Amino acid sequence: TESGILALIFVAIMVVAMWKMFEKAGVEGWKAVIPFYNIYEAFKVFWGNGWLCFLLVVPVVGFIVALITNYKMAKSFGHGFGYALGLIVFPVVFAPVLGFNKDEYVGPLK
């Protein structure tokens, strides 16, 4: 159906965006393609500790951690709260921009 095709396009855009962000952070881009492992790697890149990804499965805490992760993603590339809000509300737009623009990875927010 149309919604299934749209969902696949959305997923493909997000995987390509994460691939590019991983490469900017010095991580092999192919790791963005593997389900669950890509989340672990993203937490290593944006939090500094991949094991924190398991907080996502805790009710309520997981939602808050996901929001904070978007903020840490924005900060890791030198952006602030406004960009993080864009990643939360329009991820299919803001994530590819983060992956393909000239911003450099500055490391996880301490």
Side-chain angles (χ1 to χ4, degrees), residues 10 14 63-74 80-95:
F10 178 81
M14 295 304 292
F63 177 75
I64 294 166
V65 167
L67 294 176
I68 295 170
T69 301
N70 281 291
Y71 178 70
K72 288 180 168 281
M73 186 185 310
F81 178 76
Y83 204 93
L85 195 57
L87 284 167
I88 293 165
V89 178
F90 300 113
V92 74
V93 174
F94 282 78

mmCIF file of all heavy atoms in Angstrom, residues 10 14 63-74 80-95:
data_model
loop_
_atom_site.group_PDB
_atom_site.id
_atom_site.type_symbol
_atom_site.label_atom_id
_atom_site.label_comp_id
_atom_site.label_asym_id
_atom_site.label_seq_id
_atom_site.Cartn_x
_atom_site.Cartn_y
_atom_site.Cartn_z
ATOM 1 N N PHE A 10 10.803 6.512 4.313
ATOM 2 C CA PHE A 10 11.193 7.176 5.556
ATOM 3 C C PHE A 10 12.362 6.436 6.214
ATOM 4 O O PHE A 10 13.358 7.047 6.605
ATOM 5 C CB PHE A 10 9.988 7.240 6.497
ATOM 6 C CG PHE A 10 10.279 7.865 7.830
ATOM 7 C CD1 PHE A 10 10.321 9.234 7.976
ATOM 8 C CD2 PHE A 10 10.520 7.071 8.942
ATOM 9 C CE1 PHE A 10 10.591 9.812 9.206
ATOM 10 C CE2 PHE A 10 10.793 7.632 10.173
ATOM 11 C CZ PHE A 10 10.826 9.010 10.306
ATOM 12 N N MET A 14 16.280 7.724 6.800
ATOM 13 C CA MET A 14 16.881 7.774 8.130
ATOM 14 C C MET A 14 18.144 6.915 8.225
ATOM 15 O O MET A 14 19.102 7.306 8.883
ATOM 16 C CB MET A 14 15.852 7.355 9.188
ATOM 17 C CG MET A 14 14.671 8.304 9.300
ATOM 18 S SD MET A 14 15.141 10.018 9.644
ATOM 19 C CE MET A 14 15.764 9.868 11.296
ATOM 20 N N PHE A 63 11.154 7.079 26.832
ATOM 21 C CA PHE A 63 10.691 8.262 26.098
ATOM 22 C C PHE A 63 11.584 9.466 26.399
ATOM 23 O O PHE A 63 11.995 10.189 25.489
ATOM 24 C CB PHE A 63 9.228 8.564 26.461
ATOM 25 C CG PHE A 63 8.690 9.789 25.825
ATOM 26 C CD1 PHE A 63 8.358 9.799 24.477
ATOM 27 C CD2 PHE A 63 8.516 10.953 26.552
ATOM 28 C CE1 PHE A 63 7.859 10.938 23.872
ATOM 29 C CE2 PHE A 63 8.017 12.097 25.964
ATOM 30 C CZ PHE A 63 7.689 12.091 24.614
ATOM 31 N N ILE A 64 11.894 9.652 27.660
ATOM 32 C CA ILE A 64 12.739 10.784 28.070
ATOM 33 C C ILE A 64 14.150 10.623 27.505
ATOM 34 O O ILE A 64 14.739 11.584 26.999
ATOM 35 C CB ILE A 64 12.756 10.906 29.611
ATOM 36 C CG1 ILE A 64 11.354 11.284 30.102
ATOM 37 C CG2 ILE A 64 13.793 11.920 30.071
ATOM 38 C CD1 ILE A 64 11.142 11.120 31.585
ATOM 39 N N VAL A 65 14.680 9.411 27.559
ATOM 40 C CA VAL A 65 16.020 9.138 27.018
ATOM 41 C C VAL A 65 16.043 9.404 25.511
ATOM 42 O O VAL A 65 17.015 9.956 24.989
ATOM 43 C CB VAL A 65 16.468 7.701 27.356
ATOM 44 C CG1 VAL A 65 17.689 7.293 26.555
ATOM 45 C CG2 VAL A 65 16.743 7.575 28.842
ATOM 46 N N ALA A 66 14.979 9.035 24.808
ATOM 47 C CA ALA A 66 14.912 9.281 23.365
ATOM 48 C C ALA A 66 14.948 10.777 23.068
ATOM 49 O O ALA A 66 15.620 11.220 22.127
ATOM 50 C CB ALA A 66 13.651 8.650 22.779
ATOM 51 N N LEU A 67 14.242 11.573 23.866
ATOM 52 C CA LEU A 67 14.265 13.029 23.682
ATOM 53 C C LEU A 67 15.659 13.591 23.947
ATOM 54 O O LEU A 67 16.168 14.416 23.178
ATOM 55 C CB LEU A 67 13.237 13.699 24.595
ATOM 56 C CG LEU A 67 11.774 13.411 24.305
ATOM 57 C CD1 LEU A 67 10.885 14.061 25.364
ATOM 58 C CD2 LEU A 67 11.375 13.873 22.917
ATOM 59 N N ILE A 68 16.274 13.137 25.025
ATOM 60 C CA ILE A 68 17.624 13.601 25.370
ATOM 61 C C ILE A 68 18.618 13.180 24.292
ATOM 62 O O ILE A 68 19.547 13.933 23.966
ATOM 63 C CB ILE A 68 18.043 13.072 26.756
ATOM 64 C CG1 ILE A 68 17.150 13.676 27.838
ATOM 65 C CG2 ILE A 68 19.506 13.383 27.036
ATOM 66 C CD1 ILE A 68 17.312 13.040 29.209
ATOM 67 N N THR A 69 18.418 12.006 23.715
ATOM 68 C CA THR A 69 19.308 11.534 22.652
ATOM 69 C C THR A 69 19.277 12.470 21.455
ATOM 70 O O THR A 69 20.313 12.755 20.854
ATOM 71 C CB THR A 69 18.940 10.101 22.233
ATOM 72 O OG1 THR A 69 19.056 9.251 23.381
ATOM 73 C CG2 THR A 69 19.862 9.591 21.126
ATOM 74 N N ASN A 70 18.103 12.974 21.107
ATOM 75 C CA ASN A 70 18.018 13.934 20.009
ATOM 76 C C ASN A 70 18.780 15.213 20.334
ATOM 77 O O ASN A 70 19.443 15.783 19.473
ATOM 78 C CB ASN A 70 16.551 14.246 19.686
ATOM 79 C CG ASN A 70 15.919 13.159 18.874
ATOM 80 O OD1 ASN A 70 16.259 12.967 17.717
ATOM 81 N ND2 ASN A 70 15.016 12.420 19.483
ATOM 82 N N TYR A 71 18.704 15.654 21.578
ATOM 83 C CA TYR A 71 19.462 16.830 21.999
ATOM 84 C C TYR A 71 20.963 16.549 21.916
ATOM 85 O O TYR A 71 21.733 17.356 21.395
ATOM 86 C CB TYR A 71 19.075 17.247 23.419
ATOM 87 C CG TYR A 71 19.855 18.429 23.921
ATOM 88 C CD1 TYR A 71 19.637 19.701 23.389
ATOM 89 C CD2 TYR A 71 20.811 18.281 24.914
ATOM 90 C CE1 TYR A 71 20.367 20.794 23.838
ATOM 91 C CE2 TYR A 71 21.534 19.367 25.370
ATOM 92 C CZ TYR A 71 21.315 20.618 24.822
ATOM 93 O OH TYR A 71 22.039 21.693 25.272
ATOM 94 N N LYS A 72 21.384 15.393 22.404
ATOM 95 C CA LYS A 72 22.802 15.029 22.350
ATOM 96 C C LYS A 72 23.285 14.872 20.913
ATOM 97 O O LYS A 72 24.422 15.199 20.602
ATOM 98 C CB LYS A 72 23.051 13.750 23.160
ATOM 99 C CG LYS A 72 22.956 13.952 24.653
ATOM 100 C CD LYS A 72 23.219 12.664 25.387
ATOM 101 C CE LYS A 72 23.425 12.900 26.850
ATOM 102 N NZ LYS A 72 24.758 13.376 27.183
ATOM 103 N N MET A 73 22.413 14.389 20.035
ATOM 104 C CA MET A 73 22.760 14.272 18.617
ATOM 105 C C MET A 73 23.026 15.656 18.036
ATOM 106 O O MET A 73 24.037 15.867 17.353
ATOM 107 C CB MET A 73 21.620 13.579 17.852
ATOM 108 C CG MET A 73 21.931 13.288 16.403
ATOM 109 S SD MET A 73 20.531 12.595 15.474
ATOM 110 C CE MET A 73 19.976 11.276 16.501
ATOM 111 N N ALA A 74 22.140 16.593 18.313
ATOM 112 C CA ALA A 74 22.326 17.956 17.817
ATOM 113 C C ALA A 74 23.607 18.570 18.379
ATOM 114 O O ALA A 74 24.399 19.159 17.639
ATOM 115 C CB ALA A 74 21.111 18.820 18.185
ATOM 116 N N GLY A 80 22.153 23.400 18.774
ATOM 117 C CA GLY A 80 21.538 23.564 20.079
ATOM 118 C C GLY A 80 20.141 22.985 20.177
ATOM 119 O O GLY A 80 19.747 22.111 19.401
ATOM 120 N N PHE A 81 19.392 23.530 21.129
ATOM 121 C CA PHE A 81 18.054 23.029 21.436
ATOM 122 C C PHE A 81 17.101 23.131 20.250
ATOM 123 O O PHE A 81 16.296 22.232 20.019
ATOM 124 C CB PHE A 81 17.473 23.785 22.640
ATOM 125 C CG PHE A 81 16.090 23.355 22.983
ATOM 126 C CD1 PHE A 81 15.872 22.157 23.650
ATOM 127 C CD2 PHE A 81 14.997 24.125 22.623
ATOM 128 C CE1 PHE A 81 14.583 21.751 23.960
ATOM 129 C CE2 PHE A 81 13.710 23.720 22.927
ATOM 130 C CZ PHE A 81 13.504 22.526 23.600
ATOM 131 N N GLY A 82 17.173 24.213 19.491
ATOM 132 C CA GLY A 82 16.289 24.391 18.340
ATOM 133 C C GLY A 82 16.463 23.285 17.312
ATOM 134 O O GLY A 82 15.479 22.762 16.774
ATOM 135 N N TYR A 83 17.684 22.919 17.058
ATOM 136 C CA TYR A 83 17.939 21.835 16.099
ATOM 137 C C TYR A 83 17.455 20.504 16.664
ATOM 138 O O TYR A 83 16.909 19.673 15.936
ATOM 139 C CB TYR A 83 19.425 21.753 15.743
ATOM 140 C CG TYR A 83 19.647 21.098 14.406
ATOM 141 C CD1 TYR A 83 19.741 21.863 13.253
ATOM 142 C CD2 TYR A 83 19.729 19.712 14.279
ATOM 143 C CE1 TYR A 83 19.915 21.267 12.023
ATOM 144 C CE2 TYR A 83 19.899 19.110 13.057
ATOM 145 C CZ TYR A 83 19.996 19.894 11.920
ATOM 146 O OH TYR A 83 20.144 19.297 10.700
ATOM 147 N N ALA A 84 17.643 20.321 17.970
ATOM 148 C CA ALA A 84 17.149 19.097 18.613
ATOM 149 C C ALA A 84 15.635 19.001 18.485
ATOM 150 O O ALA A 84 15.097 17.923 18.219
ATOM 151 C CB ALA A 84 17.561 19.069 20.082
ATOM 152 N N LEU A 85 14.958 20.112 18.642
ATOM 153 C CA LEU A 85 13.509 20.139 18.467
ATOM 154 C C LEU A 85 13.138 19.753 17.038
ATOM 155 O O LEU A 85 12.184 19.008 16.817
ATOM 156 C CB LEU A 85 12.971 21.529 18.815
ATOM 157 C CG LEU A 85 11.486 21.667 19.044
ATOM 158 C CD1 LEU A 85 11.016 20.740 20.150
ATOM 159 C CD2 LEU A 85 11.147 23.104 19.377
ATOM 160 N N GLY A 86 13.905 20.229 16.073
ATOM 161 C CA GLY A 86 13.692 19.843 14.683
ATOM 162 C C GLY A 86 13.890 18.350 14.473
ATOM 163 O O GLY A 86 13.123 17.710 13.751
ATOM 164 N N LEU A 87 14.900 17.768 15.130
ATOM 165 C CA LEU A 87 15.134 16.321 15.030
ATOM 166 C C LEU A 87 13.971 15.524 15.620
ATOM 167 O O LEU A 87 13.647 14.447 15.141
ATOM 168 C CB LEU A 87 16.427 15.937 15.746
ATOM 169 C CG LEU A 87 17.722 16.278 15.026
ATOM 170 C CD1 LEU A 87 18.909 16.147 15.972
ATOM 171 C CD2 LEU A 87 17.909 15.400 13.808
ATOM 172 N N ILE A 88 13.339 16.073 16.647
ATOM 173 C CA ILE A 88 12.213 15.390 17.282
ATOM 174 C C ILE A 88 10.956 15.494 16.426
ATOM 175 O O ILE A 88 10.253 14.512 16.208
ATOM 176 C CB ILE A 88 11.962 15.965 18.694
ATOM 177 C CG1 ILE A 88 13.138 15.631 19.612
ATOM 178 C CG2 ILE A 88 10.643 15.454 19.268
ATOM 179 C CD1 ILE A 88 13.176 16.436 20.897
ATOM 180 N N VAL A 89 10.677 16.682 15.907
ATOM 181 C CA VAL A 89 9.419 16.933 15.192
ATOM 182 C C VAL A 89 9.493 16.521 13.718
ATOM 183 O O VAL A 89 8.544 15.945 13.186
ATOM 184 C CB VAL A 89 9.020 18.418 15.317
ATOM 185 C CG1 VAL A 89 7.759 18.717 14.547
ATOM 186 C CG2 VAL A 89 8.849 18.803 16.783
ATOM 187 N N PHE A 90 10.607 16.821 13.048
ATOM 188 C CA PHE A 90 10.777 16.517 11.620
ATOM 189 C C PHE A 90 12.067 15.755 11.368
ATOM 190 O O PHE A 90 12.978 16.249 10.688
ATOM 191 C CB PHE A 90 10.788 17.813 10.791
ATOM 192 C CG PHE A 90 9.552 18.640 10.895
ATOM 193 C CD1 PHE A 90 9.564 19.881 11.503
ATOM 194 C CD2 PHE A 90 8.350 18.169 10.389
ATOM 195 C CE1 PHE A 90 8.424 20.648 11.603
ATOM 196 C CE2 PHE A 90 7.195 18.919 10.477
ATOM 197 C CZ PHE A 90 7.223 20.162 11.087
ATOM 198 N N PRO A 91 12.205 14.545 11.915
ATOM 199 C CA PRO A 91 13.479 13.821 11.784
ATOM 200 C C PRO A 91 13.859 13.509 10.343
ATOM 201 O O PRO A 91 15.047 13.518 10.008
ATOM 202 C CB PRO A 91 13.234 12.526 12.574
ATOM 203 C CG PRO A 91 11.756 12.365 12.595
ATOM 204 C CD PRO A 91 11.196 13.762 12.614
ATOM 205 N N VAL A 92 12.884 13.292 9.475
ATOM 206 C CA VAL A 92 13.184 12.939 8.087
ATOM 207 C C VAL A 92 13.801 14.119 7.324
ATOM 208 O O VAL A 92 14.421 13.928 6.285
ATOM 209 C CB VAL A 92 11.934 12.377 7.372
ATOM 210 C CG1 VAL A 92 10.940 13.459 7.041
ATOM 211 C CG2 VAL A 92 12.306 11.569 6.161
ATOM 212 N N VAL A 93 13.669 15.326 7.865
ATOM 213 C CA VAL A 93 14.280 16.515 7.271
ATOM 214 C C VAL A 93 15.597 16.841 7.974
ATOM 215 O O VAL A 93 16.630 17.029 7.329
ATOM 216 C CB VAL A 93 13.327 17.735 7.348
ATOM 217 C CG1 VAL A 93 14.012 18.994 6.878
ATOM 218 C CG2 VAL A 93 12.057 17.467 6.555
ATOM 219 N N PHE A 94 15.567 16.901 9.305
ATOM 220 C CA PHE A 94 16.719 17.379 10.058
ATOM 221 C C PHE A 94 17.861 16.365 10.139
ATOM 222 O O PHE A 94 19.025 16.748 10.152
ATOM 223 C CB PHE A 94 16.287 17.822 11.461
ATOM 224 C CG PHE A 94 15.643 19.168 11.477
ATOM 225 C CD1 PHE A 94 14.325 19.332 11.085
ATOM 226 C CD2 PHE A 94 16.364 20.286 11.871
ATOM 227 C CE1 PHE A 94 13.729 20.580 11.093
ATOM 228 C CE2 PHE A 94 15.779 21.547 11.875
ATOM 229 C CZ PHE A 94 14.452 21.690 11.487
ATOM 230 N N ALA A 95 17.567 15.076 10.209
ATOM 231 C CA ALA A 95 18.637 14.070 10.276
ATOM 232 C C ALA A 95 19.479 14.031 9.001
ATOM 233 O O ALA A 95 20.708 14.037 9.079
ATOM 234 C CB ALA A 95 18.054 12.696 10.607
#
